[in-house]
Amino acid sequence: MGLGLIGAVGWFAIVCSAVIFDVVSAHYRLDVPDNVEARRVQTQAQVLHRIVIVIVSIVTLSVMLMTFPQIKHIGISLLASAGLAGLVIGTAMKSSLSSLIAGVQIAFTQPIRIEDAVVVEGEWGWIEEIGTTYVIVRLWDLRRMVLPLSYFLEHPFQNWTRQSADLLGSVFLYVDYTVPVDEVRKELRRIVQSNPKWRGQVCVLQVTDATTNAIQLRALVDARDSSAAWDLRCEVREALIQFLQEKYPHGLPRVRTEFQAFAAGNGGAPAQFLTGATRPHES
């Protein structure tokens, strides 16, 4: 009966933690447009809930062991982490304890949060789950990357939604020197104004480079989140290419050449000059 009472108290503490976590999850929902605060709170609640489960389980087991006189010292060592048994257990659980401490650090410092858009190991995805020892990253193609918690404290990574979800997206086009940049700039404004993915703050088109055969145009637009930014970039790129094909078909990059013919017996003097423009694939 004593063991049952101790187990019931531990179970009740875990249930209370689960109830609190469910209440927090219901109040701070992730399926809303501006969910930065909700992701912050849910991350702390999820990590702390799992840490509570681990601590309550260890304390409950230790108290149960302390009820037996013959093995009471094991329970005391496990609970107080003292003596040789505590040292052996601590050494064996070094990686688990470091992950547990890393979980506490992540819960309060929050370099990552639930549903943060991140780039890790060259892969782009979202933080799907933060456990007591690992983090699940849902990649863009629905694969899952499993990383230890300590990874996010020891290695650099990109967090695209650390302060806010809005992002800037860039589109690069290579066009001929004869393309009127002002007309392309006006078309970019018209394209984004009719697109619901545009956040409405940034719409810029600039000539960012000039090579021998073409100029580089960079269109810079903003979106509300990473997924919308990717789709908006693709749609802007397609629309601008279609605009150039319909309005300025000569605007594709060209390689200009000049042919010079020499008359025989004229001392090598040129007889005529021929100029023209060819596509890059023409010889």
Side-chain angles (χ1 to χ4, degrees):
M1 290 181 62
L3 293 177
L5 179 61
I6 296 172
V9 172
W11 171 82
F12 180 74
I14 293 176
V15 169
C16 290
S17 175
V19 170
I20 295 174
F21 174 72
D22 291 340
V23 171
V24 172
S25 300
H27 187 267
Y28 294 93
R29 300 178 61 86
L30 297 177
D31 54 351
V32 295
D34 189 8
N35 60 358
V36 175
E37 180 67 16
R39 290 188 287 109
R40 182 186 68 82
V41 174
Q42 282 219 25
T43 300
Q44 289 181 336
Q46 186 179 105
V47 174
L48 292 177
H49 170 59
R50 295 184 177 180
I51 292 176
V52 166
I53 293 177
V54 173
I55 293 176
V56 170
S57 300
I58 294 176
V59 171
T60 302
L61 178 61
S62 301
V63 174
M64 285 182 173
L65 292 175
M66 290 174 63
T67 59
F68 298 95
Q70 294 81 0
I71 57 175
K72 183 177 180 179
H73 63 282
I74 299 179
I76 296 175
S77 299
L78 183 62
L79 184 61
S81 298
L84 181 61
L87 181 61
V88 173
I89 293 175
T91 303
M93 298 178 62
K94 180 180 178 181
S95 59
S96 299
L97 292 175
S98 63
S99 297
L100 192 64
I101 295 173
V104 175
Q105 288 181 272
I106 287 177
F108 288 99
T109 60
Q110 292 196 340
I112 55 173
R113 293 168 298 210
I114 300 297
E115 290 302 319
D116 264 350
V118 296
V119 177
V120 290
E121 296 292 324
E123 298 280 0
W124 172 49
W126 297 266
I127 301 296
E128 182 176 58
E129 181 182 350
I130 302 178
T132 54
T133 59
Y134 59 86
V135 175
I136 303 296
V137 180
R138 184 179 72 254
L139 302 182
W140 65 274
D141 55 359
L142 300 184
R143 290 178 294 145
R144 265 61 175 180
M145 179 182 291
V146 183
L147 297 168
L149 275 172
S150 57
Y151 176 91
F152 294 93
L153 299 177
E154 300 172 356
H155 298 84
F157 64 95
Q158 297 182 36
N159 189 334
W160 290 6
T161 54
R162 182 66 179 86
Q163 298 295 335
S164 62
D166 54 290
L167 289 174
L168 295 179
S170 59
V171 175
F172 291 91
L173 293 177
Y174 292 89
V175 298
D176 190 70
Y177 275 83
T178 59
V179 169
V181 178
D182 288 338
E183 296 300 322
V184 181
R185 186 177 289 115
K186 294 177 182 178
E187 179 64 15
L188 173 64
R189 171 68 63 173
R190 187 192 65 80
I191 292 170
V192 296
Q193 284 179 344
S194 60
N195 195 314
K197 299 181 181 66
W198 184 47
R199 188 169 178 266
Q201 301 295 325
V202 179
C203 178
V204 178
L205 186 133
Q206 296 173 314
V207 179
T208 53
D209 195 9
T211 65
T212 305
N213 302 316
I215 59 175
Q216 182 189 71
L217 301 181
R218 186 192 68 174
L220 195 65
V221 294
D222 61 341
R224 299 187 182 279
D225 54 55
S226 56
S227 298
W230 173 264
D231 293 337
L232 181 60
R233 289 173 60 196
C234 295
E235 293 172 10
V236 167
R237 186 181 296 110
E238 294 172 4
L240 288 178
I241 291 175
Q242 183 179 0
F243 170 74
L244 292 174
Q245 290 174 341
E246 294 177 353
K247 301 296 183 180
Y248 303 98
H250 62 278
L252 297 177
R254 299 187 178 195
V255 178
R256 289 173 171 79
T257 58
E258 182 181 58
F259 300 92
Q260 184 175 9
F262 293 88
N266 196 22
Q272 60 179 343
F273 295 92
L274 299 176
T275 60
T278 61
R279 305 294 184 189
H281 63 275
E282 295 176 350
S283 59

